[in-house]
Amino acid sequence: MPTSFLSEEQRRRFGHFPEDPDEGQLAGSFLLDQTARRRAMAARGARNRIGWAVQLGTIRYLGTFLENPEKVPAVVVGYVAEQLGLEPAVFAGYGMGEARWDHQEQIREGYGYTKFEFDQWFTLARWLYQRAWIGNERPTLLFDLATKRLVDKKVVLPGVTVLERLVSGTRERAEKRLWATLAAAPTAEQAERLQQLVVVPTGKRLSELDRLRRSPRDISARGVGKALERYESLHAFGGSAWDLDAIPPGRLQALVRFAKAARAQAVSDLRGDRRLATLVAFAAVMPQLAADEAIEVFDLVMGDIIRSSATKMTKQRLRTLKDLDAAAIELRKAWLAICTTAADPEGDLRAMLGTMDVGPVHAAADAVKLLAQQPDDGAEQMLAARYNTIARFLPGLLKTFTFEASPAGEPVLDAIGFVKSLKGRRRPIQAWEVPAKVLTSAWRRLVFPPPPMPVGSVEKRALIVASTEALRTALHRHEVFVPGLRKWGNPNARLLGDAAWEAARTRVCEELDLDPQPDKILTTWTDRLDRAHREFADGLAANPAVRIEQQGGRDRIILTGLDRLDEPASLVELNKEVEARMPAVDLPEIVLEVNSWVPYLGDFTHVSEANSRMDDLELSVAAVLTSEATNVGIEPIVHDGVDALSRDRLFWVEQNYVRAQTLSMANARLVDYHMRLPLVQAWGGGELASADGLRFVTPIRTLNSGPNPKYFGTRRRGVTFYNFLSDQFSGLHGILIPGTQRDSFYILDGLLEQETALRPVEVTSDTHGASEIVFGLFRLMGYQFSPRLADVGSATLYRADPDADYGPLNPVTRDKVNLKQITAHWDEMLRLAGSLHSGTIKASEALRVLAPGGKPTPTGKAVMELGRLDRSAYLSSYFTDELLRRRVNTQLNRQESRHELARKIFHGQKGELRQSYREGQEDQLGALGLMLNIVVLWNTVYFQKIIGEMRAEGIHVRDEDVARLSPLKFAHINFHGRYSFALPTEVQSGQLRSTIKPETASTTI
């Protein structure tokens, strides 16, 4: 890494006053107490008195003394002089006097400041080394942290070059140790095989590294085999046997990220231990990812087979319905004839049957046998017919992975074990051998066929298909899992272990404001519920929006919808005036202009963390962000006359600079700048956020998409960009969800993972996220969940006190929260909260722990009971408080408006997401989220300017109207680029354009 990594601007600002301190900074550093004034007045002469005080404030503010103390802002001199009762002008000439050195020594001794000498250098170097070893922080961030640490420790800052070299050298030592440790892990033979990963074999276009790092895209029976083969190839490197426990996970992941993103040639060009270390990290981490993806392909293929079988069965039922009806009518005629004869005392059934044409009756009975289904039949017959397809990949799957199970999954494990034992078996299967617990009634009829088949016979193919379907279901429920995997592994393994939990319990309780004993906090929560119910009951008679009615024999709460808020004429005029004054602008100009206010483009660093920079790199990053966010691709952005916009440069930047980590850092910087704008405070304080999904069709085959006819149409797949918006209109975070899985599972993930300065304590969503478990998890983690509820009257209101009298609410609050369940499992609930808080498990994964297969565990039931308590308190407040309902509704409407803006920006390629791999999808949608915040920030700054101009012109602008403005307007923004009507010089002169001769053009035709 280069020794010099700071920009000239950063060097200029270090140890100097880049701008005048504001009032708060002046008071914080330059305010003189009695002791400071006394010491300053002890100096000889007015000049030295001011100089002494200025130097004291300077070291407090900057952490160091200025070489020339006179180079402080005039506002500082004036502030200090006023406190000493002296004229600021007498300070002139102090910087040339010898007394300034004596004053510095007096200040150091009197206020405990230490010079930066060897002891301080060694202490800081050791601290930096630990930071550099554990994390992979940028050198500029380490520099800032080191500066802050020295200031906090009252160590006088050294020169910028000294500190810069220390940071650079420390990072380099930590990196060399990391590379050496990893390079020593494999054997010589394994190392040689790893080195061959970056070699392109003769006759091929891609290296083995290129092949192995690509996620599967073939969702078919053949694709399952290819995904298993990829896993086997990665597993064969032997990474599972390497002892890498001493390597910080973050450092390992950084190397893997580089190995997955960079060109194979770039990895090959790495020198020393770094190349082998990168390949070792790749081979150690990728097998688990490849295993998860292989099972994912199996899951998708089985899902397609099951859905297509169900569709085929439905179509067959429709086709044969007329034949079944005709057979039923024929049988009915025969039965009526039999009944008529039987009812006649003189009737002879044998004689009647002898005269009846029984041929059609037999044919009708055969048709019913063939076409009729049992009430519990599904698509099992059609699914069993897909045996040949399933048999292509099932043996490889069972051979490759070792499955384990919870008690609920043991029958599936038995069935799969039996299926494996059938390989090569020739003797018939006996019914008593079959582990039949996994078989439904419909499958039993197929696996154990009725007569005329021999008694005890077994249909092998149906058994194998039924067991495969049961395996897929059990994997979804996490009753069966593969140890060590992230998605398809045992979710309980991600909870804090016993020792780790014992060590973390006190800290977790303090940080989450919980108590190791449940009694006190449960009393607080139940008192909140009681107050909410009583306020609801007391105000019910005077609440015109709520009433209780009898429907279907039970009492229901009826909530009238909110009336739309009228827009006063002043607000309408303000919106018109603001829109009329907004300057017309192209989207790329917004990207660059915002960067001139807050340099977020500088947060995009090279994937190898080598601090690689190029001339006009920010322009290249801006161009790539624009191409990604608008979904138009690189080609419309390319400008061959500008180096920063050349095709090669843009592809290089896209591959190496734009990724989840840099997008997150840039977004955090924008949000931090936006939240400090005065206008933003009128919209909200940042305590409220909303979560909602934006759906994208993925027209190409990709592992990371799923079907949903409601959102994507029939026979199409897509993904959901689940994003989070603060009440200040800032986007906090975004999560990519395959298909449209339960969005509510990801709400807490977003809140816990987001890295902005905003810390919302309340979050809202639509009805789909309002389950009791979600409410319980939110309460455990200290958040208020406030969803907008559609059919709110059907929700159950629980009570904690069975004897409480809630008057008119008594009929609708009969159900009681089981507080004993919460108390009995309180420590397990705390462990779950601690695991979420420490990041060892995600909330979306925790829900699999609490309710695998939809069946709550005892801890899951305890969280549900807590959720019932919290949900009931929220519901009563929701019924009572119209302002709460409006606040929730307003926030969700803001998110819908943001989605409309997102659709406008993401207009290319019909608004479809065409990235093949999850990483590419995440990066592109992350760029879209960042672009939304860029537009919001730009609009906010200009709104603020326009409102200031209007007020300066004497136009009255009401604060109430300002609070209802939205920075999500886009009529003034050109998202679609411009057509150029400028002709090249050669064409203007009457010549034809020069043709392009390919570099590989043949000399003969």
Side-chain angles (χ1 to χ4, degrees):
M1 189 191 77
T3 300
S4 301
F5 53 81
L6 296 178
S7 65
E8 289 302 319
E9 174 64 16
Q10 289 171 316
R11 290 172 174 276
R12 187 185 64 80
R13 294 170 66 93
F14 181 79
H16 294 84
F17 288 87
E19 55 195 14
D20 290 354
D22 58 29
E23 292 183 1
Q25 292 167 331
L26 285 172
S29 298
F30 295 93
L31 184 65
L32 304 174
D33 58 16
Q34 292 181 350
T35 302
R37 282 199 299 270
R38 187 181 72 250
R39 289 175 174 175
M41 294 303 289
R44 182 178 298 174
R47 175 189 301 165
N48 290 332
R49 292 167 182 167
I50 295 178
W52 193 98
V54 164
Q55 291 216 80
L56 173 63
T58 299
I59 196 170
R60 287 172 172 172
Y61 186 72
L62 299 178
T64 187
F65 295 110
L66 293 177
E67 185 174 349
N68 183 356
E70 288 187 70
K71 291 187 176 181
V72 296
V75 64
V76 169
V77 179
Y79 186 79
V80 169
E82 183 180 0
Q83 295 178 75
L84 297 175
L86 302 171
E87 289 296 326
V90 303
F91 181 59
Y94 175 77
M96 303 299 294
E98 293 295 323
R100 70 184 189 277
W101 309 115
D102 295 334
H103 295 168
Q104 291 178 11
E105 189 65 30
Q106 292 170 14
I107 291 169
R108 279 196 295 267
E109 292 179 359
Y111 288 88
Y113 285 92
T114 307
K115 289 183 178 181
F116 188 76
E117 296 176 336
F118 177 77
D119 289 346
Q120 288 71 33
W121 180 93
F122 181 78
T123 302
L124 180 63
R126 187 170 56 183
W127 179 81
L128 281 171
Y129 185 81
Q130 290 298 322
R131 298 275 317 200
W133 173 249
I134 294 173
N136 197 33
E137 295 161 328
R138 293 172 295 138
T140 50
L141 177 58
L142 279 178
F143 184 90
D144 292 340
L145 291 172
T147 302
K148 183 180 185 301
R149 181 176 176 85
L150 290 174
V151 171
D152 291 344
K153 297 290 185 181
K154 302 182 78 171
V155 176
V156 180
L157 295 180
V160 62
T161 304
V162 173
L163 196 55
E164 193 176 20
R165 287 178 177 172
L166 177 59
V167 169
S168 179
T170 302
R171 283 189 91 241
E172 187 173 356
R173 286 194 299 275
E175 286 176 344
K176 286 183 177 179
R177 174 191 169 190
L178 172 70
W179 301 336
T181 304
L182 286 170
T187 64
E189 182 182 354
Q190 290 172 332
E192 179 60 29
R193 288 188 60 208
L194 288 172
Q195 299 280 15
Q196 293 301 311
L197 278 175
V198 294
V199 177
V200 179
T202 304
K204 294 188 177 181
R205 296 176 56 251
L206 297 176
S207 68
E208 191 71 0
L209 177 65
D210 290 315
R211 183 182 73 84
L212 292 177
R213 66 187 177 183
R214 290 184 175 179
S215 296
R217 291 181 57 190
D218 185 2
I219 313 300
S220 65
R222 180 170 175 265
V224 178
K226 289 161 62 178
L228 293 172
E229 178 188 344
R230 172 176 175 252
Y231 164 72
E232 291 282 13
S233 298
L234 286 163
H235 183 69
F237 286 107
S240 59
W242 300 333
D243 183 9
L244 303 181
D245 291 341
I247 307 296
R251 301 305 303 272
L252 206 60
Q253 291 297 333
L255 289 174
V256 175
R257 186 171 61 245
F258 176 68
K260 291 178 65 178
R263 293 179 299 108
Q265 185 60 46
V267 178
S268 179
D269 290 342
L270 298 175
R271 293 291 174 259
D273 289 337
R274 186 177 179 186
R275 176 172 60 183
L276 181 56
T278 302
L279 296 173
V280 167
F282 177 81
V285 173
M286 281 301 295
Q288 289 79 14
L289 299 178
D292 264 328
E293 290 176 341
I295 297 177
E296 184 83 8
V297 177
F298 160 73
D299 172 59
L300 292 175
V301 171
M302 278 302 298
D304 286 346
I305 291 173
I306 292 169
R307 280 189 295 273
S308 63
S309 298
T311 301
K312 193 173 181 180
M313 177 61 76
T314 301
K315 289 180 178 179
Q316 177 176 294
R317 290 282 288 170
L318 291 174
R319 283 196 305 267
T320 60
L321 200 56
K322 289 184 178 180
D323 295 336
L324 185 61
D325 287 345
I329 291 172
E330 185 67 33
L331 291 174
R332 181 176 184 275
K333 287 166 53 180
W335 175 247
L336 290 176
I338 291 172
C339 289
T340 301
T341 303
D344 184 357
E346 303 295 329
D348 186 347
L349 285 177
R350 290 182 179 273
M352 186 274 293
L353 290 175
T355 60
M356 179 187 292
D357 183 4
V358 296
V361 179
H362 286 307
D366 289 340
V368 170
K369 177 184 178 182
L370 179 65
L371 302 179
Q373 288 188 350
Q374 295 286 348
D376 57 354
D377 276 347
E380 287 80 7
Q381 284 186 347
M382 289 297 176
L383 188 55
R386 302 295 299 274
Y387 167 80
N388 287 336
T389 301
I390 293 172
R392 291 177 61 188
F393 58 78
L394 183 64
L397 181 78
L398 300 183
K399 178 183 177 182
T400 302
F401 297 117
T402 300
F403 294 98
E404 294 184 7
S406 64
E410 289 293 342
V412 178
L413 219 56
D414 293 340
I416 291 300
F418 184 73
V419 168
K420 289 177 69 175
S421 72
L422 297 178
K423 184 178 180 181
R425 174 172 169 170
R426 295 185 178 181
R427 59 186 176 85
I429 304 171
Q430 301 299 315
W432 60 266
E433 297 180 87
V434 176
K437 289 183 180 180
V438 299
L439 301 178
T440 63
S441 299
W443 276 118
R444 283 177 180 272
R445 288 190 289 272
L446 292 173
V447 174
F448 307 115
M453 294 295 291
V455 176
S457 63
V458 175
E459 176 52 54
K460 174 182 174 181
R461 293 189 168 200
L463 172 63
I464 291 174
V465 175
S467 300
T468 307
E469 184 191 34
L471 173 63
R472 176 180 183 260
T473 301
L475 283 168
H476 268 274
R477 293 176 174 175
H478 293 272
E479 295 168 350
V480 171
F481 47 82
V482 178
L485 301 191
R486 181 89 199 190
K487 180 172 183 179
W488 301 103
N490 181 7
N492 288 286
R494 298 204 169 273
L495 294 175
L496 289 172
D498 292 341
W501 171 233
E502 288 299 325
R505 180 187 281 108
T506 302
R507 175 182 57 83
V508 167
C509 289
E510 289 177 356
E511 293 178 358
L512 294 180
D513 198 22
L514 298 172
D515 196 294
Q517 301 302 320
D519 298 339
K520 183 178 178 181
I521 196 163
L522 270 181
T523 300
T524 302
W525 290 338
T526 54
D527 287 348
R528 173 174 172 261
L529 174 64
D530 184 69
R531 286 195 306 272
H533 282 348
R534 293 190 186 282
E535 289 176 11
F536 182 23
D538 293 343
L540 182 61
N543 190 342
V546 182
R547 64 186 186 279
I548 297 177
E549 290 184 357
Q550 275 257 336
Q551 291 185 0
R554 55 168 293 189
D555 291 293
R556 284 176 55 94
I557 301 172
I558 307 299
L559 177 66
T560 305
L562 292 169
D563 294 329
R564 181 175 179 177
L565 282 177
D566 292 332
E567 289 190 352
S570 58
L571 176 59
V572 174
E573 288 301 316
L574 178 60
N575 272 309
K576 288 182 179 178
E577 189 70 22
V578 169
E579 290 178 11
R581 293 184 182 226
M582 287 292 286
V585 64
D586 290 345
L587 185 63
E589 295 175 332
I590 292 179
V591 176
L592 295 174
E593 185 174 357
V594 169
N595 187 64
S596 69
W597 306 335
V598 48
Y600 68 95
L601 294 176
D603 290 319
F604 289 87
T605 56
H606 194 275
V607 68
S608 68
E609 299 295 341
N611 205 39
S612 174
R613 309 300 289 180
M614 299 182 71
D615 293 339
D616 297 323
L617 180 61
E618 286 76 12
L619 178 59
S620 303
V621 174
V624 171
L625 287 176
T626 303
S627 73
E628 293 278 276
T630 57
N631 202 31
V632 299
I634 290 293
E635 289 302 324
I637 310 295
V638 170
H639 194 304
D640 290 329
V642 181
D643 289 343
L645 299 179
S646 65
R647 183 177 287 98
D648 289 345
R649 169 78 81 89
L650 294 181
F651 278 122
W652 179 73
V653 168
E654 178 187 36
Q655 187 178 59
N656 292 293
Y657 285 84
V658 179
R659 59 188 185 279
Q661 181 186 17
T662 53
L663 288 164
S664 179
M665 289 190 297
N667 190 65
R669 187 186 292 268
L670 290 175
V671 172
D672 184 63
Y673 184 90
H674 183 258
M675 66 184 288
R676 300 177 190 278
L677 296 175
L679 175 58
V680 172
Q681 305 308 312
W683 296 331
E687 294 87 8
L688 175 65
S690 55
D692 197 14
L694 187 59
R695 321 291 181 182
F696 292 95
V697 170
T698 52
I700 61 175
R701 200 67 162 164
T702 171
L703 185 66
N704 198 48
S705 63
N708 190 305
K710 178 180 177 181
Y711 294 106
F712 309 131
T714 56
R715 304 178 66 83
R716 305 192 79 183
R717 293 172 176 265
V719 299
T720 298
F721 183 46
Y722 203 56
N723 53 103
F724 300 79
L725 182 70
S726 78
D727 56 1
Q728 297 180 340
F729 293 94
S730 293
L732 305 178
H733 189 47
I735 298 175
L736 183 69
I737 304 174
T740 55
Q741 295 178 10
R742 288 282 300 275
D743 294 351
S744 62
F745 288 8
Y746 296 88
I747 299 177
L748 258 180
D749 284 351
L751 288 178
L752 296 174
E753 292 174 3
Q754 70 96 9
E755 298 178 357
T756 71
L758 289 175
R759 289 292 179 266
V761 295
E762 182 180 11
V763 66
T764 183
S765 73
D766 273 322
T767 305
H768 55 254
S771 69
E772 291 167 342
I773 282 187
V774 172
F775 267 96
L777 284 177
F778 266 82
R779 179 50 55 200
L780 269 179
M781 300 305 295
Y783 294 104
Q784 172 60 54
F785 188 36
S786 303
R788 177 170 62 187
L789 302 170
D791 187 18
V792 68
S794 64
T796 304
L797 286 179
Y798 289 83
R799 59 167 63 210
D801 182 359
D803 300 322
D805 182 10
Y806 297 125
L809 294 186
N810 285 333
V812 294
T813 57
R814 293 194 179 100
D815 297 297
K816 182 180 178 295
V817 176
N818 186 351
L819 298 178
K820 291 182 179 179
Q821 182 78 15
I822 300 174
T823 302
H825 297 278
W826 182 245
D827 195 63
E828 291 95 325
M829 294 168 69
L830 288 180
R831 183 190 295 228
L832 173 64
S835 302
L836 289 168
H837 186 61
S838 61
T840 63
I841 190 171
K842 294 185 175 183
S844 51
E845 297 169 339
L847 289 165
R848 303 169 193 161
V849 175
L850 297 173
K855 300 175 182 177
T857 64
T859 305
K861 291 178 181 178
V863 175
M864 285 183 65
E865 293 298 330
L866 176 57
R868 288 171 174 173
L869 191 156
D870 193 67
R871 189 170 186 252
S872 299
Y874 170 71
L875 284 172
S876 280
S877 299
Y878 191 80
F879 287 126
T880 304
D881 190 353
E882 180 180 338
L883 292 179
L884 169 60
R885 299 198 298 275
R886 288 202 179 277
R887 187 174 78 248
V888 167
N889 197 61
T890 297
Q891 180 62 22
L892 289 173
N893 287 343
R894 288 177 174 179
Q895 185 128 29
E896 291 171 5
S897 297
R898 186 173 188 260
H899 287 177
E900 184 182 1
L901 173 59
R903 293 290 184 196
K904 278 289 183 181
I905 295 175
F906 200 81
H907 66 272
Q909 303 184 87
K910 300 187 292 185
E912 297 173 340
L913 187 62
R914 303 194 176 196
Q915 296 283 351
S916 302
Y917 303 106
R918 182 183 181 93
E919 292 83 357
Q921 293 173 354
E922 288 177 333
D923 291 348
Q924 184 166 10
L925 294 179
L928 174 61
L930 182 68
M931 188 64 71
L932 284 164
N933 274 357
I934 292 169
V935 171
V936 166
L937 175 55
W938 191 90
N939 281 346
T940 302
V941 169
Y942 277 91
F943 278 18
Q944 193 168 273
K945 175 181 172 64
I946 288 169
I947 292 170
E949 291 173 348
M950 292 173 64
R951 284 173 170 163
E953 294 166 10
I955 301 174
H956 179 58
V957 179
R958 299 169 66 238
D959 291 339
E960 296 87 345
D961 295 336
V962 171
R964 294 179 65 180
L965 285 176
S966 170
L968 297 169
K969 301 181 185 299
F970 50 79
H972 55 288
I973 304 175
N974 174 32
F975 299 112
H976 300 280
R978 297 181 183 276
Y979 292 100
S980 172
F981 291 91
L983 289 173
T985 304
E986 58 185 345
V987 176
Q988 291 179 10
S989 62
Q991 302 178 36
L992 294 178
R993 300 172 188 264
S994 300
T995 59
I996 299 174
K997 183 178 180 181
E999 295 179 4
T1000 58
S1002 175
T1003 57
T1004 60
I1005 300 296

